Amino acid sequence: MHTIAHWVDGKSFGGTSEASAPVTNPATGVVTGQVALANAADVRVAVEAAAAAFPAWRDTSLTRRVQVLFRFRELLNERKEELAAIITAEHGKVLSDALGEVTRGLEVVEFACGIPHLLKGGFTENASTKVDIFSIRQPLGPVAIISPFNFPAMVPMWFFPLAIASGNTVVIKPSEKDPSATLWVARLWAEAGLPAGVFNVVQGDKVAVDELLDNPSIKAVSFVGSTPIARYVYQRGTAAGKRVQALGGAKNHMVVLPDADLDLAADAAVNAGFGSAGERCMAVSVVVAVGEVADALVERIAQRAGTIRTGDGTRGTDMGPLVTREHRDRVASYVAAGETQGARVVLDGRDVRADGESDGFWLGPTILDHVRPEMSVYTDEIFGPVLSVVRLDGYDEALALINANPYGNGTAIFTNDGGAARRFHNEVEVGMVGINVPIPVPMAYYSFGGWKASLFGDSHAHGVDGVQFFTRTKAVTSRWLDPSHGGLNLGFPQNN
């Protein structure tokens, strides 16, 4: 049984805390390691290392920073299968899905390689007589990243490439459920030539989070997780004077209009609903069937979902286990509650025969039809392979349902009517919209983030928004005079 430690100042760090938590392979139920849980003193050591490394990294030329970033990109691309295997072993998602996660994170690394262009300031000559004004963007200092279990590689990569490329130093706290991916990344940064202390990892739970939120040396916090915790992180972090971007939960709706291609829509609902066992913040969890398409659509979805092979992600299966036994049982309880409240179970994954060990945390694809908005299976973020079908009569009802939902992360509409699609993306109160695209995760050069209870703070992840979040603007007004000065003048300065 090995211990998964911290990474501080360019090397492994055991810390002083004796607390730990088990790390389990969800496909076997076997405990594969113990992750150290940092106390406040351990976190302070990491923060101090980041603070000490900041002045030199801030003053490192853009050319040198980008060289390190390019080297990191090349190493990550060469070894991405290795990282994917680590993710599968601790999270449970199938290898192909884990590799896709790493690849999407790699896109942000590649975007960050263009940081010199994104950090350019502005210059105005002779704004006033012999007075020039220019603006520059400067890094904040040590920043913290608190990442979730469902994307142990991709979500941190939404943030740290831009933070590091902009001249900040980083302390990251990964989920204690699958902590090894971030340590692997730390070692890769060291190999790429990143100076010690620029990228640090502290394992831990709420104790570590609170220290990061309170520590005055941490200047900004990026968080992804559930809405209640996102709200907590935002409130506590901003109360301590920090910039905070806290991405929360989701209840993503996919509207299918009567003119839609039902085969395309059914494929999309299955792919987006059951990929990674539904443990995605961008998963489609509600299909809104409009008008007379419901019966045919549900039939197509059920037929496709019934062919999904659930099992160990290393065996070439389609869908893996859920992350923990407790989470598996919680998701199954929502299925039971939905059935009790009147929903029809079209496909029941509670008794799935998985291609894996009997102690794995298995729950197969599940479809509930005739779901109503007051049911818990609709109101709550389930975060599992449960697809709810809500039947409505028209477009206006579908739009009103989505806009009334407290979450606003992602949504999609399937239609062949361009006017309906344009009206939808204009009217829907959701941050990311897909048109005949089920998981509208933008490319790295666009921002990622929801509305309403899906995001606390003004800044979205990656894209130009990410660069702005990790930097601040300084305006400089400059005048270089002839040897003789103009004398004293106590009047308010005027442009001339």
Side-chain angles (χ1 to χ4, degrees), residues 161-429:
L162 294 177
I164 290 173
S166 298
N168 302 280
T169 55
V170 170
V171 179
I172 179 170
K173 193 213 82 69
S175 169
E176 61 272 27
K177 295 182 177 67
D178 44 12
S180 297
T182 311
L183 282 180
W184 185 92
V185 168
R187 295 185 177 94
L188 202 71
W189 270 121
E191 187 174 346
L194 190 70
V198 176
F199 187 87
N200 306 276
V201 181
V202 289
Q203 314 289 359
D205 51 16
K206 185 177 183 296
V207 173
V209 169
D210 286 347
E211 175 60 30
L212 290 173
L213 296 176
D214 296 340
N215 194 300
S217 293
I218 295 294
K219 304 305 180 184
V221 178
S222 300
F223 171 87
V224 178
S226 69
T227 286
I229 306 303
R231 183 181 287 108
Y232 171 84
V233 167
Y234 179 76
Q235 292 174 343
R236 186 158 180 163
T238 53
K242 306 179 192 308
R243 286 187 180 184
V244 180
Q245 50 181 178
L247 283 69
K251 197 71 179 181
N252 302 319
H253 297 65
M254 179 180 131
V255 177
V256 182
L257 296 186
D259 69 321
D261 182 326
L262 294 190
D263 289 319
L264 175 66
D267 287 343
V270 171
N271 294 338
F274 303 125
S276 194
E279 292 176 329
R280 292 172 174 163
C281 67
M282 291 300 287
V284 167
S285 55
V286 180
V287 172
V288 182
V290 176
E292 69 275 8
V293 302
D295 288 340
L297 179 61
V298 170
E299 180 182 355
R300 284 171 167 80
I301 293 173
Q303 187 276 324
R304 288 161 170 77
T307 66
I308 291 175
R309 185 170 156 228
T310 303
D312 190 321
T314 64
R315 300 184 183 183
T317 55
D318 303 309
M319 191 181 88
L322 274 71
V323 68
T324 64
R325 188 179 307 281
E326 293 76 15
H327 185 53
R328 183 265 171 212
D329 293 344
R330 175 180 174 273
V331 174
S333 73
Y334 276 104
V335 180
E339 188 174 22
T340 299
Q341 294 166 5
R344 183 171 74 90
V345 181
V346 177
L347 184 65
D348 194 337
R350 288 173 289 184
D351 299 318
V352 67
R353 298 183 65 179
D355 182 5
E357 301 296 327
S358 59
D359 288 335
F361 311 142
W362 310 115
L363 185 72
T366 301
I367 301 170
L368 296 176
D369 194 6
H370 297 281
V371 171
R372 300 187 305 276
E374 67 271 17
M375 295 179 180
S376 61
V377 72
Y378 175 84
T379 59
D380 297 357
E381 184 183 25
I382 298 174
F383 225 61
V386 179
L387 192 63
S388 297
V389 179
V390 175
R391 297 175 177 232
L392 297 176
D393 292 332
Y395 166 88
D396 289 333
E397 290 179 81
L399 180 70
L401 180 74
I402 298 171
N403 286 349
N405 196 277
Y407 297 110
N409 205 44
T411 189
I413 188 169
F414 279 73
T415 180
N416 285 311
D417 185 334
R422 189 180 187 281
R423 182 181 170 190
F424 182 77
H425 80 67
N426 176 258
E427 297 176 338
V428 73
E429 296 174 7

Side-chain angles (χ1 to χ4, degrees), residues 396-476:
D396 289 333
E397 290 179 81
L399 180 70
L401 180 74
I402 298 171
N403 286 349
N405 196 277
Y407 297 110
N409 205 44
T411 189
I413 188 169
F414 279 73
T415 180
N416 285 311
D417 185 334
R422 189 180 187 281
R423 182 181 170 190
F424 182 77
H425 80 67
N426 176 258
E427 297 176 338
V428 73
E429 296 174 7
V430 175
M432 293 172 283
V433 181
I435 299 173
N436 297 319
V437 174
I439 310 178
V441 178
M443 294 293 289
Y445 39 85
Y446 282 89
S447 67
F448 180 101
W451 289 9
K452 299 184 283 190
S454 294
L455 174 70
F456 298 89
D458 297 327
S459 296
H460 290 193
H462 58 68
V464 175
D465 283 30
V467 177
Q468 293 174 344
F469 180 79
F470 289 116
T471 58
R472 53 188 171 185
T473 302
K474 181 181 288 183
V476 181

Side-chain angles (χ1 to χ4, degrees), residues 25-271:
N25 184 333
T28 63
V30 174
V31 175
T32 57
Q34 292 287 330
V35 60
L37 299 179
N39 56 28
D42 295 334
V43 178
R44 284 193 287 270
V45 171
V47 173
E48 288 165 5
F54 172 65
W57 183 242
R58 174 196 57 201
D59 294 337
T60 298
S61 71
L62 276 172
T63 299
R64 175 58 185 154
R65 278 192 234 153
V66 171
Q67 287 174 345
V68 174
L69 208 69
F70 266 106
R71 179 57 178 156
F72 177 78
R73 185 265 173 203
E74 291 304 307
L75 291 171
L76 181 60
N77 190 51
E78 290 170 5
R79 303 179 194 172
K80 55 189 175 184
E81 289 84 2
E82 184 180 334
L83 180 55
I86 293 171
I87 295 168
T88 295
E90 292 185 349
H91 174 275
K93 64 178 66 176
V94 300
L95 281 169
S96 59
D97 193 29
L99 186 59
E101 167 185 345
V102 177
T103 302
R104 290 307 301 266
L106 184 61
E107 292 173 2
V108 183
V109 178
E110 293 169 344
F111 175 73
C113 287
I115 202 72
H117 172 70
L118 299 171
L119 292 180
K120 287 190 304 185
F123 190 97
T124 300
E125 186 180 35
N126 254 9
S128 185
T129 303
K130 296 185 178 181
V131 174
D132 304 326
I133 301 176
F134 58 95
S135 65
I136 55 178
R137 302 200 70 88
Q138 294 185 320
L140 306 177
V143 300
I145 299 168
I146 304 166
S147 63
F149 75 84
N150 60 322
F151 286 102
M154 185 186 74
V155 166
M157 278 191 257
W158 285 350
F159 305 111
F160 68 67
L162 294 177
I164 290 173
S166 298
N168 302 280
T169 55
V170 170
V171 179
I172 179 170
K173 193 213 82 69
S175 169
E176 61 272 27
K177 295 182 177 67
D178 44 12
S180 297
T182 311
L183 282 180
W184 185 92
V185 168
R187 295 185 177 94
L188 202 71
W189 270 121
E191 187 174 346
L194 190 70
V198 176
F199 187 87
N200 306 276
V201 181
V202 289
Q203 314 289 359
D205 51 16
K206 185 177 183 296
V207 173
V209 169
D210 286 347
E211 175 60 30
L212 290 173
L213 296 176
D214 296 340
N215 194 300
S217 293
I218 295 294
K219 304 305 180 184
V221 178
S222 300
F223 171 87
V224 178
S226 69
T227 286
I229 306 303
R231 183 181 287 108
Y232 171 84
V233 167
Y234 179 76
Q235 292 174 343
R236 186 158 180 163
T238 53
K242 306 179 192 308
R243 286 187 180 184
V244 180
Q245 50 181 178
L247 283 69
K251 197 71 179 181
N252 302 319
H253 297 65
M254 179 180 131
V255 177
V256 182
L257 296 186
D259 69 321
D261 182 326
L262 294 190
D263 289 319
L264 175 66
D267 287 343
V270 171
N271 294 338

